[in-house]
Amino acid sequence: MTSAEAGALRRLAPSARRFLAHRKGVLVRLALWSLAESGQAFLVGHAVAHSVDEGFLAGDPRRGLLWLGIALVAVLSGARVVRGVFAQLAGVTEPLRDGLVRRAVDRSMARAAPDGPGGTDRAAVSRLTNQVEIARDSFAGLVLSLRSFVFTAAGALLGLLSLHPALLLVVLPPLAAGLALFLVTLRPMAAAQRRALAADEALGEHAASARAALRDLAACGTGPGVEQRGADLVAEAAAAARTLAGWAAMRTAALGVAGHLPVLALLVAVEWLRGRGVSVGALLGAFTYLVQSLLPALHTLMTALGAAGSRLLVVLDRILGPEPEPEPEPGTASAPGAAAFAVHTDAAPAVELRAVTLSYGVRAEPVLDALDLRVAPGEHLAVVGPSGIGKSTLTRLVAGTLAPSRGEVRVAGRPVTGCPAAELAALRVLVPQDAYVFSGTVGDNLAYLRTDARRAELDAAVGVFGLAPLVERLGGLDGTVRPAELSPGERQLVALVRAYLSPAPLLLLDEATCHLDPASEARAEEALAGRTGTLVVVAHRLSSAVRADRTLVLDGVRAQCGTHAELLGRSPLYQDLTGHWNS
């Protein structure tokens, strides 16, 4: 047993004891019905042996038929025993399911409570549906199989001993060998089951988050990356299922050893047993005990322990175990990889392009051709150039939503091409020209990229961007946002505040202030530039370039980068753009 499984057993043991202690009456009735099953198993083999030895072989067919009739009554009585067992079983399994559902709901509600840890518990769907049903079915199968094996095996082994002790010497060794082979598979199979459930939860969480952010994915062009992540998760789930199937095949082999070798051993040892006084009836009774009682019970036990037992342990640990740390939303300060990115941020450029070339086709002229660029941490860079020159393409390359034809793009020292969406969200925020606002509260829209933002921080950001009149008009932070009722400029302000609150160290504005008046644009850019981190702005007005530390001019021939004064002296295109803006 692994340390994780041992820990799970230690955590679950007190809960299991309390659960069973409250159902002593049900367990006693279940044990009484099981004793009847044990007596049935003993009686069937015993009756067969006596029908042969004392009846048919002794020349008394009436006595033989009488014993066979007794065996038939014992077999038919099994239906009544099974009915009684299942009637009592419901008194154990249904309370378990109800308790697990309550626990799963309470955990999700506690996380969402104001004083809870926060975060979206998307795995709750898997717990409430798939995992609770797995737990109930596995628990029922485990109770049935353990009860059946213990009482049936007791009756069968007692019957073998009563017929002749030598029968046990032949039957027990192959049974033990099969059980040993089976026990070897328990540990890896439980680990495979744990991985399969984790893969199922991860796939469900990814599907839920992607479904909730379809409009964001379409607006930011990150759909292909999310699709690839989904394909990777599907592949991981399939691999986990294949591993689980492999260990299930090993369990089947163990079942074959335990289920067939005892019968073969008994056949091979017939002459040896006859030499030690074992009668023909006793041999037939032994075969009856094996085929009718002992081996089916063993088969059921091994199936339950190998599948239901491991599933039950894993699922109960996930539902009843300690509350895990909440999964951070993409873009929050604790997003996966954020700490690793911080290591690069101080030592590496905030943005670095190495000989980047981008063409939208094999024969098309490159939009960007062997572009080199380094943006220092904390720098404010403006990007200018005529329409269609590649400014938006540049921001998409830096954001990681577009891969270069050649070259490499790094953000905080990390290549962004192929980077998982959650890690990209921790690195940068891209605000496009057509800002996206969703139906919901004002506070939810503003805190979308930082779900742990306090109300005071939201109020402060609203004041910095001059958004107070709009927020007041909508009914405060708890007011409802209807995107169709907002102007393009108001939507851009909401998106800019959202980016301002994000913990990502790099902000990319792709003409994200084009619908604002000059005063609002200046206020927004000054607020964003004063924020800790790096700012790259595709300029809509000359004032954006003047406010920046440096400006990158894209002219289709060669890019030039420098301050406003430097570019006026050496870039004809920048001079023309400045004249155009001034006019």
Side-chain angles (χ1 to χ4, degrees):
M1 179 175 293
T2 64
S3 59
E5 293 160 5
L9 283 175
R10 286 193 296 271
R11 289 192 297 269
L12 296 175
S15 299
R17 286 195 294 267
R18 288 194 299 270
F19 177 79
L20 295 176
H22 287 86
R23 287 157 185 85
K24 291 180 180 178
V26 176
L27 295 177
V28 169
R29 291 191 294 272
L30 190 61
L32 291 176
W33 281 109
S34 299
L35 279 175
E37 187 173 354
S38 181
Q40 176 205 14
F42 175 85
L43 191 58
V44 169
H46 202 73
V48 169
H50 283 281
S51 70
V52 173
D53 289 336
E54 300 176 9
F56 299 112
L57 291 181
D60 190 353
R62 294 182 59 182
R63 189 177 183 86
L65 291 174
L66 177 62
W67 277 109
L68 288 181
I70 294 174
L72 178 62
V73 171
V75 171
L76 293 178
S77 67
R80 182 71 182 91
V81 172
V82 170
R83 180 181 176 183
V85 166
F86 273 89
Q88 301 305 318
L89 184 66
V92 180
T93 57
E94 297 310 308
L96 174 70
R97 182 189 61 176
D98 296 342
L100 293 178
V101 169
R102 284 194 296 271
R103 170 62 177 166
V105 172
D106 289 345
R107 170 178 289 188
S108 295
M109 296 298 292
R111 173 177 287 190
D115 57 346
T120 303
D121 189 13
R122 296 189 178 100
V125 176
S126 177
R127 284 196 291 267
L128 280 171
T129 55
N130 186 34
Q131 294 185 30
V132 166
E133 291 305 313
I134 286 177
R136 183 186 67 168
D137 294 344
S138 300
F139 181 67
L142 199 60
V143 170
L144 282 175
S145 60
L146 283 174
R147 174 207 58 80
S148 176
F149 177 77
V150 169
F151 288 93
T152 301
L157 292 175
L158 185 61
L160 286 172
L161 181 63
S162 69
L163 295 177
H164 200 288
L167 293 171
L168 290 179
L169 297 177
V170 176
V171 170
L172 284 181
L175 280 176
L179 279 173
L181 179 60
F182 165 72
L183 292 174
V184 170
T185 68
L186 282 180
R187 177 175 174 177
M189 193 164 186
Q193 182 68 55
R194 189 181 299 274
R195 289 193 297 272
L197 282 175
D200 178 67
E201 283 190 0
L203 183 58
E205 181 176 355
H206 177 77
S209 61
R211 183 172 60 250
L214 285 177
R215 294 180 64 180
D216 281 339
L217 298 176
C220 298
T222 55
V226 174
E227 181 181 358
Q228 182 59 48
R229 175 60 177 161
D232 292 342
L233 289 173
V234 170
E236 291 175 10
R242 285 192 295 269
T243 302
L244 192 60
W247 286 109
M250 288 291 295
R251 184 198 67 205
T252 303
L255 287 174
V257 172
H260 296 291
L261 282 186
V263 177
L264 293 176
L266 198 58
L267 288 172
V268 171
V270 166
E271 184 176 355
W272 180 82
L273 291 170
R274 291 286 291 156
R276 279 155 181 76
V278 179
S279 67
V280 174
L283 285 172
L284 289 178
F287 279 111
T288 302
Y289 280 129
L290 285 177
V291 176
Q292 185 71 25
S293 301
L294 188 58
L295 297 184
L298 180 64
H299 183 281
T300 304
L301 173 70
M302 294 171 69
T303 302
L305 286 180
S310 61
R311 285 201 306 266
L312 180 64
L313 179 62
V314 173
V315 170
L316 288 181
D317 187 39
R318 299 187 78 85
I319 297 177
L320 300 177
E323 175 70 22
E325 291 296 322
E327 291 291 334
E329 297 290 331
T332 60
S334 58
F341 300 151
V343 174
H344 297 286
T345 302
D346 294 335
V351 177
E352 185 176 14
L353 278 68
R354 300 176 179 178
V356 169
T357 298
L358 190 283
S359 299
Y360 289 105
V362 177
R363 300 180 181 274
E365 290 292 326
V367 179
L368 299 175
D369 191 5
L371 177 62
D372 291 311
L373 176 67
R374 291 170 64 92
V375 182
E379 187 176 4
H380 178 186
L381 177 74
V383 182
V384 301
S387 179
I389 202 65
K391 303 186 296 296
S392 295
T393 298
L394 176 63
T395 59
R396 291 183 61 193
L397 285 169
V398 175
T401 62
L402 184 66
S405 304
R406 291 189 299 275
E408 185 180 39
V409 181
R410 288 177 173 266
V411 173
R414 182 177 179 84
V416 297
T417 302
C419 188
E423 297 181 8
L424 283 176
L427 282 173
R428 89 295 180 262
V429 173
L430 171 63
V431 183
Q433 179 177 349
D434 296 322
Y436 171 62
V437 177
F438 56 87
S439 297
T441 68
V442 176
D444 288 342
N445 270 275
L446 298 181
Y448 180 70
L449 298 178
R450 185 183 165 192
T451 55
D452 61 344
R454 296 187 296 273
R455 197 176 188 89
E457 293 174 303
L458 296 179
D459 290 333
V462 166
V464 168
F465 283 80
L467 202 61
L470 173 62
V471 173
E472 184 177 352
R473 190 187 83 204
L474 296 176
L477 293 176
D478 296 324
T480 301
V481 173
R482 296 177 178 83
E485 298 178 3
L486 300 184
S487 68
E490 290 170 337
R491 288 197 292 270
Q492 282 190 336
L493 278 175
V494 171
L496 291 171
V497 174
R498 180 190 301 157
Y500 175 80
L501 290 167
S502 166
L506 172 63
L507 296 188
L508 302 168
L509 307 185
D510 185 9
E511 296 198 33
T513 60
C514 63
H515 297 299
L516 302 182
D517 59 76
S520 298
E521 180 185 58
R523 179 188 307 182
E525 286 189 5
E526 288 173 2
L528 294 171
R531 171 187 177 276
T532 301
T534 306
L535 178 64
V536 177
V537 180
V538 174
H540 179 69
R541 295 183 177 93
L542 174 63
S543 55
S544 294
V546 173
R547 282 190 293 267
D549 299 324
R550 287 191 303 158
T551 299
L552 174 67
V553 182
L554 299 178
D555 60 6
V557 179
R558 62 188 183 89
Q560 297 190 58
C561 194
T563 65
H564 174 66
E566 291 171 346
L567 292 173
L568 282 176
R570 69 170 189 253
S571 173
L573 176 59
Y574 189 73
Q575 295 171 6
D576 291 342
L577 290 173
T578 302
H580 172 73
W581 276 323
N582 287 333
S583 65

Coordinates of all heavy atoms in Angstrom, one line a residue, residues 1-6 184-199 236 239-241 243-245 247 305-307 309-315 318:
M1 N 0.8 -1.2 0.0 CA 0.0 0.0 0.0 C 0.9 1.2 0.0 O 1.8 1.3 0.7 CB -0.9 0.0 1.2 CG -1.8 1.2 1.3 SD -3.0 1.1 2.7 CE -4.0 -0.2 2.2
T2 N 0.5 2.2 -0.8 CA 1.3 3.4 -0.9 C 1.1 4.3 0.3 O 0.1 4.1 1.1 CB 0.9 4.2 -2.2 OG1 -0.4 4.6 -2.1 CG2 1.1 3.4 -3.4
S3 N 2.0 5.3 0.5 CA 1.8 6.2 1.6 C 0.5 7.0 1.5 O -0.1 7.3 2.5 CB 3.0 7.1 1.8 OG 3.2 7.8 0.6
A4 N 0.2 7.3 0.3 CA -1.1 8.1 0.0 C -2.3 7.3 0.4 O -3.2 7.8 1.0 CB -1.1 8.5 -1.4
E5 N -2.2 6.0 0.0 CA -3.4 5.1 0.4 C -3.4 4.9 1.9 O -4.5 4.9 2.5 CB -3.2 3.8 -0.3 CG -3.4 3.9 -1.9 CD -2.8 2.8 -2.6 OE1 -2.4 1.8 -1.9 OE2 -2.8 2.8 -3.8
A6 N -2.3 4.7 2.5 CA -2.3 4.5 4.0 C -2.8 5.8 4.7 O -3.6 5.7 5.6 CB -0.8 4.2 4.5
V184 N -0.9 -8.7 -5.4 CA 0.2 -8.0 -6.0 C -0.3 -6.8 -6.8 O 0.3 -5.8 -7.0 CB 1.1 -8.9 -6.8 CG1 2.1 -8.1 -7.6 CG2 1.8 -9.8 -5.8
T185 N -1.5 -7.0 -7.5 CA -2.1 -6.0 -8.4 C -2.8 -4.9 -7.7 O -3.1 -3.9 -8.3 CB -3.0 -6.7 -9.4 OG1 -4.2 -7.2 -8.7 CG2 -2.3 -7.9 -10.1
L186 N -3.1 -5.1 -6.4 CA -4.0 -4.1 -5.7 C -3.3 -2.7 -5.6 O -4.0 -1.7 -5.9 CB -4.3 -4.6 -4.3 CG -5.4 -5.6 -4.2 CD1 -5.6 -6.0 -2.7 CD2 -6.7 -5.2 -4.8
R187 N -2.0 -2.7 -5.3 CA -1.4 -1.4 -5.1 C -1.3 -0.6 -6.4 O -1.7 0.6 -6.5 CB 0.0 -1.6 -4.5 CG 0.8 -0.3 -4.3 CD 2.1 -0.7 -3.6 NE 3.0 0.5 -3.5 CZ 4.1 0.5 -2.9 NH1 4.6 -0.6 -2.3 NH2 4.9 1.6 -2.9
P188 N -0.7 -1.2 -7.5 CA -0.7 -0.4 -8.7 C -2.0 -0.1 -9.3 O -2.2 0.9 -10.0 CB 0.2 -1.3 -9.7 CG 0.1 -2.6 -9.1 CD 0.0 -2.5 -7.6
M189 N -3.0 -1.0 -9.1 CA -4.3 -0.7 -9.6 C -5.0 0.5 -8.9 O -5.7 1.3 -9.5 CB -5.2 -1.9 -9.5 CG -6.5 -1.9 -10.3 SD -7.2 -3.5 -10.5 CE -8.6 -3.0 -11.6
A190 N -4.8 0.6 -7.6 CA -5.3 1.7 -6.9 C -4.7 3.0 -7.4 O -5.4 4.0 -7.5 CB -5.1 1.5 -5.4
A191 N -3.4 3.0 -7.6 CA -2.7 4.2 -8.1 C -3.2 4.5 -9.5 O -3.4 5.7 -9.8 CB -1.2 4.0 -8.2
A192 N -3.4 3.5 -10.4 CA -4.0 3.8 -11.7 C -5.4 4.4 -11.6 O -5.8 5.2 -12.3 CB -4.0 2.5 -12.5
Q193 N -6.2 3.9 -10.6 CA -7.5 4.4 -10.4 C -7.5 5.8 -10.0 O -8.3 6.7 -10.5 CB -8.3 3.5 -9.4 CG -9.7 4.0 -9.2 CD -10.6 3.7 -10.4 OE1 -10.6 2.5 -10.8 NE2 -11.2 4.7 -10.9
R194 N -6.5 6.2 -9.1 CA -6.4 7.6 -8.7 C -6.1 8.5 -9.8 O -6.6 9.6 -10.0 CB -5.3 7.6 -7.6 CG -5.3 9.0 -6.8 CD -4.1 8.9 -5.8 NE -4.4 7.9 -4.8 CZ -5.1 8.1 -3.7 NH1 -5.7 9.3 -3.5 NH2 -5.3 7.1 -2.9
R195 N -5.1 8.0 -10.7 CA -4.8 8.9 -11.8 C -5.9 9.0 -12.8 O -6.1 10.1 -13.4 CB -3.6 8.2 -12.6 CG -2.3 8.3 -11.8 CD -1.1 8.0 -12.7 NE -1.1 6.6 -13.2 CZ -0.6 5.6 -12.5 NH1 0.0 5.8 -11.4 NH2 -0.7 4.4 -13.0
A196 N -6.7 7.9 -13.0 CA -7.9 8.0 -13.9 C -8.9 9.0 -13.4 O -9.5 9.8 -14.1 CB -8.5 6.6 -14.0
L197 N -9.2 9.0 -12.1 CA -10.1 10.0 -11.5 C -9.6 11.4 -11.6 O -10.3 12.4 -11.9 CB -10.4 9.6 -10.0 CG -11.4 8.5 -9.8 CD1 -11.5 8.2 -8.3 CD2 -12.8 8.8 -10.4
A198 N -8.3 11.6 -11.3 CA -7.7 12.9 -11.5 C -7.8 13.4 -12.9 O -8.1 14.6 -13.1 CB -6.2 12.9 -11.0
A199 N -7.5 12.5 -13.9 CA -7.7 12.9 -15.3 C -9.1 13.3 -15.6 O -9.4 14.3 -16.4 CB -7.2 11.8 -16.2
E236 N -4.5 12.3 -21.9 CA -4.1 11.8 -20.6 C -5.1 10.9 -20.0 O -4.8 9.9 -19.4 CB -3.8 13.0 -19.7 CG -2.6 13.9 -20.1 CD -2.5 15.1 -19.3 OE1 -3.2 15.3 -18.3 OE2 -1.6 16.0 -19.6
A239 N -4.9 7.6 -21.7 CA -3.7 6.8 -21.2 C -3.9 6.2 -19.8 O -3.6 5.1 -19.6 CB -2.5 7.7 -21.2
A240 N -4.6 7.0 -19.0 CA -4.9 6.5 -17.6 C -5.9 5.3 -17.7 O -5.8 4.3 -17.0 CB -5.5 7.6 -16.7
A241 N -6.9 5.4 -18.6 CA -7.8 4.3 -18.8 C -7.1 3.1 -19.3 O -7.5 2.0 -18.9 CB -8.9 4.8 -19.7
T243 N -4.0 2.2 -18.8 CA -3.2 1.7 -17.7 C -4.1 0.9 -16.8 O -3.7 -0.2 -16.3 CB -2.4 2.8 -17.0 OG1 -1.6 3.5 -17.9 CG2 -1.6 2.2 -15.8
L244 N -5.2 1.5 -16.5 CA -6.2 0.8 -15.6 C -6.7 -0.5 -16.2 O -6.8 -1.5 -15.5 CB -7.4 1.7 -15.3 CG -8.3 1.3 -14.2 CD1 -7.6 1.2 -12.9 CD2 -9.5 2.3 -14.1
A245 N -6.9 -0.5 -17.5 CA -7.3 -1.7 -18.2 C -6.2 -2.8 -18.1 O -6.5 -4.0 -18.0 CB -7.7 -1.4 -19.6
W247 N -4.0 -3.3 -15.7 CA -4.0 -3.9 -14.4 C -5.2 -4.8 -14.2 O -5.2 -5.8 -13.5 CB -3.8 -2.9 -13.3 CG -2.4 -2.4 -13.2 CD1 -2.0 -1.1 -13.6 CD2 -1.3 -3.1 -12.8 NE1 -0.6 -1.0 -13.4 CE2 -0.2 -2.2 -12.9 CE3 -1.1 -4.4 -12.3 CZ2 1.1 -2.6 -12.6 CZ3 0.2 -4.8 -12.0 CH2 1.3 -3.9 -12.1
L305 N -12.6 -6.3 -4.6 CA -11.4 -5.7 -4.0 C -10.5 -5.0 -5.1 O -9.9 -3.9 -4.9 CB -10.5 -6.7 -3.3 CG -11.1 -7.1 -1.9 CD1 -10.2 -8.1 -1.3 CD2 -11.3 -5.9 -1.0
G306 N -10.4 -5.6 -6.3 CA -9.6 -5.1 -7.3 C -10.1 -3.9 -8.0 O -9.4 -3.0 -8.4
A307 N -11.5 -3.8 -8.1 CA -12.1 -2.7 -8.8 C -12.8 -1.8 -7.8 O -12.5 -0.6 -7.6 CB -13.0 -3.2 -9.9
G309 N -13.0 -1.9 -4.5 CA -12.3 -1.4 -3.3 C -11.4 -0.3 -3.6 O -11.4 0.7 -2.8
S310 N -10.6 -0.4 -4.7 CA -9.7 0.7 -5.0 C -10.4 2.0 -5.3 O -10.0 3.1 -5.0 CB -8.7 0.3 -6.1 OG -9.4 0.0 -7.3
R311 N -11.5 1.8 -6.1 CA -12.3 3.0 -6.5 C -12.9 3.7 -5.3 O -12.9 4.9 -5.2 CB -13.4 2.6 -7.5 CG -12.9 2.3 -8.9 CD -14.1 2.5 -9.9 NE -15.2 1.6 -9.5 CZ -15.4 0.4 -10.0 NH1 -14.5 -0.2 -10.8 NH2 -16.4 -0.3 -9.6
L312 N -13.4 2.8 -4.4 CA -14.1 3.4 -3.2 C -13.1 4.2 -2.3 O -13.4 5.3 -1.9 CB -14.7 2.3 -2.4 CG -15.4 2.7 -1.1 CD1 -16.6 3.5 -1.4 CD2 -15.8 1.4 -0.3
L313 N -11.9 3.6 -2.1 CA -10.9 4.3 -1.3 C -10.5 5.7 -1.9 O -10.4 6.7 -1.2 CB -9.6 3.4 -1.2 CG -8.5 4.0 -0.3 CD1 -8.9 4.3 1.1 CD2 -7.3 3.1 -0.4
V314 N -10.3 5.7 -3.2 CA -9.8 6.9 -3.9 C -11.0 7.9 -3.9 O -10.7 9.1 -3.6 CB -9.4 6.6 -5.4 CG1 -9.2 7.9 -6.1 CG2 -8.2 5.7 -5.4
V315 N -12.2 7.5 -4.2 CA -13.3 8.5 -4.3 C -13.6 9.0 -2.9 O -13.8 10.2 -2.7 CB -14.5 7.8 -4.9 CG1 -15.7 8.7 -4.8 CG2 -14.3 7.5 -6.4
R318 N -11.2 11.7 -1.9 CA -11.4 12.9 -2.6 C -12.6 13.7 -2.1 O -12.6 14.9 -2.1 CB -11.5 12.7 -4.1 CG -10.3 12.0 -4.7 CD -10.4 11.9 -6.2 NE -10.1 13.2 -6.8 CZ -8.9 13.6 -7.1 NH1 -7.8 12.8 -6.9 NH2 -8.6 14.8 -7.7

